[in-house]
């Protein structure tokens, strides 16, 4: 099965490379899940015998509006996103990013999840969630000073 990931040109031309890399990793995870689903026909054929983690999230009863794949990414793949972002920075010799910036960007695209809602609504983490949202908005809305690349025409 082939999965094609397309990025919005306007987003690509305005977001930072850091945010674009996060988006690519996030969408690559979706591609992985869709390949797993397609390999067994459809979500009804997921089972503990093939893709247990994915099966668990499709069997869970989340409140209306929550999506199994986003819940799975939020719960189990944010460290993968962080590792990919750190690799991007290392390959581009970017230093000085804080752990908070990596943590924040690992939530990008996941604020529609039950995990984020709990994180945001918890009084002990609410201020951190607000800080993360500021970082996400900054990186998704503004290229960093040294960046001049775009997605082309």
């Amino acid at each position: 099965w082939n999965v094609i990931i397309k990025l919005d040109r306007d987003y690509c031309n305005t977001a930072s490379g850091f945010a674009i890399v996060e988006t690519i990793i996030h969408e690559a995870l979706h591609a992985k899940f869709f390949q797993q689903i397609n390999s067994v026909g459809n979500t009804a054929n997921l089972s503990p015998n093939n893709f247990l983690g994915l099966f668990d999230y499709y069997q869970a009863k989340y409140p209306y509006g929550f999506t199994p794949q986003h819940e799975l990414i939020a719960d189990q793949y944010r460290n993968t996103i962080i590792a990919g972002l750190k690799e991007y920075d290392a390959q581009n010799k970017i230093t000085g990013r804080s752990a908070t910036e990596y943590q924040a960007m690992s939530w990008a695209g996941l604020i529609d999840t039950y995990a984020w809602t709990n994180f945001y609504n918890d009084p002990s983490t609410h201020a951190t969630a607000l800080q993360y949202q500021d970082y996400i908005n900054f990186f998704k809305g503004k290229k960093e000073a040294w960046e001049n690349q775009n997605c082309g025409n």
Side-chain angles (χ1 to χ4, degrees), residues 3-17:
V3 178
I4 297 171
I5 298 171
K6 292 184 179 183
L7 299 179
D8 179 79
R9 186 176 311 276
D10 291 335
Y11 171 72
C12 188
N13 286 333
T14 58
S16 68

Side-chain angles (χ1 to χ4, degrees), residues 30-85:
H30 283 299
K32 171 187 171 177
F33 302 146
F34 284 124
Q35 285 185 317
Q36 290 173 338
I37 291 165
N38 287 337
S39 75
V40 295
N42 58 46
T43 58
N45 295 328
L46 290 171
S47 77
N49 297 323
N50 50 41
F51 300 108
L52 178 59
L54 196 55
F55 168 78
D56 289 342
Y57 281 81
Y58 271 92
Q59 295 303 310
K61 304 299 183 219
Y62 290 104
Y64 177 78
F66 294 94
T67 63
Q69 290 188 17
H70 278 171
E71 296 300 334
L72 179 57
I73 294 169
D75 290 345
Q76 296 185 21
Y77 287 91
R78 286 184 36 252
N79 285 333
T80 300
I81 293 169
I82 291 168
L85 291 170

Side-chain angles (χ1 to χ4, degrees), residues 91-110:
Q91 290 295 316
N92 289 283
K93 297 179 178 35
I94 299 168
T95 59
R97 247 191 259 281
S98 69
T100 301
E101 290 172 296
Y102 291 111
Q103 285 290 335
M105 285 308 293
S106 74
W107 282 107
L110 301 173

